[in-house]
């Protein structure tokens, strides 16, 4: 003899968030935190990689601390080979050893490998804590830092294990592209062309007509065209 009970569980969620595009957006991020963007957070964990750490991670950490925020930085070796379950576990152990709990906010600073990994940490740490993405590559700007897909690679396939976890806000710092190796810029450009190809004929034509100038201007033209594209 058995009985079945229904658990009625309907969920209406609003995961809307802003994407701010500009140059040198640390001050804007700090202002957002001061104005309560992340309600209830009392500790801030910057997650970054070893290349981005000295360029953007440390400066943001220093600014947050100067402004009175309790913040720490957790870094992993740069590169796709770090985007693993093992690195995620190491980051989680570091958060725990620094007494991080549910009252924290994860700030991912870097390219797509960082936003994927840090977003996955945020999606599962304490069953989910808020996160921000501060994108420093064109690829992260064009794709990885928005949309909420997070995850890690496995020996079987890339991005196989992860969660959907939407960031509370995305900052796209165009000034960061100036330190980006040309190869990484081109990799992001390829993704941008793919997006235009799939969904925006006018943007695709723009890219085609201006490719030489875009490459030499290191993307500044993409910003103009991309913003026009977003506002349409
Ligand atoms: N979640 C998604 O929807 C989504 C979409 C597309 C790609 N991705 C993921 O994104 C990753 C690729 O993104 P990526 O190319 O940004 O990877 P990445 O984070 O590995 O960055 C590439 C390299 O550039 C360095 N770097 C980053 N910013 C820099 C800067 N401003 N100056 C100098 N060096 C800098 C990094 O240290 C790294 O060595 C892959 O893991 C891919 O699976 C995710």
């Amino acid at each position: 003899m058995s009985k079945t009970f229904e658990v009625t569980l309907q969920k209406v969620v609003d995961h809307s968030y802003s994407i701010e595009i500009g140059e040198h957006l640390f001050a804007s991020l700090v202002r957002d935190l001061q104005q309560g963007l992340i309600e209830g957070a009392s500790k801030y964990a910057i997650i970054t990689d070893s290349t981005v750490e000295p360029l953007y991670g440390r400066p943001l950490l220093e600014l947050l601390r100067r402004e009175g925020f309790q913040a720490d930085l957790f870094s992993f070796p740069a590169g796709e080979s770090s985007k693993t379950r093992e690195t995620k576990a190491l980051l989680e152990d570091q958060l725990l050893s620094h007494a991080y709990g549910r009252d924290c906010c994860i700030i991912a600073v870097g390219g797509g490998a960082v936003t994927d990994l840090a977003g996955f940490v945020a999606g599962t740490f304490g069953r989910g804590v808020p996160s921000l993405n501060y994108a420093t590559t064109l690829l992260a700007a064009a794709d990885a830092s928005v949309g909420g897909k997070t995850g890690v690679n496995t020996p079987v396939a890339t991005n196989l294990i992860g969660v959907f976890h939407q960031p509370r806000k995305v900052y796209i710092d165009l000034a960061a592209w100036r330190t980006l190796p040309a190869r990484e810029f081109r990799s992001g450009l390829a993704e941008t062309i793919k997006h235009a190809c799939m969904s925006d004929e006018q943007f695709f034509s723009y890219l085609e007509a201006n490719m030489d100038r875009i490459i030499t201007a290191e993307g500044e033209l993409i910003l103009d065209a991309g913003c026009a594209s977003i506002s349409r």
Side-chain angles (χ1 to χ4, degrees):
M1 161 107 174
S2 68
K3 271 191 169 184
T4 303
F5 296 91
E6 294 304 317
V7 178
T8 306
L9 196 60
Q10 289 173 343
K11 210 169 166 188
V12 178
V13 288
D14 182 357
H15 282 152
S16 314
Y17 57 89
S18 316
I19 302 170
E20 183 170 344
I21 306 174
E23 297 204 1
H24 308 292
L25 299 175
F26 286 169
S28 178
L29 187 154
V30 167
R31 202 175 320 114
D32 286 337
L33 296 182
Q34 287 165 337
Q35 290 173 355
L37 176 65
I38 311 292
E39 220 175 279
S42 54
K43 289 178 94 167
Y44 298 84
I46 296 172
I47 295 184
T48 189
D49 71 28
S50 52
T51 303
V52 180
E53 176 182 346
L55 295 169
Y56 307 102
R58 290 262 150 215
L60 178 60
L61 177 70
E62 282 157 24
L63 178 62
L64 285 172
R65 286 182 172 170
R66 258 200 323 274
E67 294 294 329
F69 291 97
Q70 199 180 336
D72 298 281
L73 183 143
F74 305 93
S75 171
F76 60 85
E80 189 66 19
S81 59
S82 286
K83 214 181 93 174
T84 61
R85 283 172 284 182
E86 290 75 18
T87 311
K88 179 173 181 274
L90 281 174
L91 290 167
E92 289 160 347
D93 288 345
Q94 288 171 6
L95 289 169
L96 292 170
S97 72
H98 282 73
Y100 273 72
R102 286 193 47 74
D103 60 339
C104 76
C105 169
I106 306 280
I107 307 177
V109 180
V114 174
T115 57
D116 274 12
L117 186 48
F120 190 17
V121 170
T124 59
F125 191 77
R127 298 197 187 90
V129 294
S131 61
L132 300 172
N133 284 341
Y134 195 96
T136 63
T137 66
L138 173 53
L139 198 145
D143 197 343
S145 71
V146 292
K149 276 196 284 172
T150 74
V152 292
N153 302 326
T154 70
V156 173
T158 57
N159 300 317
L160 196 58
I161 297 186
V163 291
F164 280 97
H165 185 71
Q166 302 295 341
R168 293 292 178 87
K169 182 166 175 179
V170 176
Y171 302 85
I172 292 176
D173 185 353
L174 302 165
W177 298 355
R178 296 202 183 101
T179 56
L180 203 56
R183 190 173 181 281
E184 300 299 342
F185 182 76
R186 281 166 194 260
S187 146
L189 199 50
E191 199 69 22
T192 308
I193 294 166
K194 190 180 93 187
H195 283 209
C197 196
M198 289 188 305
S199 63
D200 193 333
E201 190 182 340
Q202 206 179 327
F203 188 36
F204 183 79
S205 303
Y206 173 89
L207 290 174
E208 204 172 26
N210 293 285
M211 194 45 69
D212 288 347
R213 290 168 63 215
I214 286 168
I215 287 171
T216 46
E218 289 179 337
E220 274 155 35
L221 291 170
I222 296 182
L223 170 67
D224 295 341
C227 284
S229 174
I230 284 168
S231 64
R232 263 204 302 277

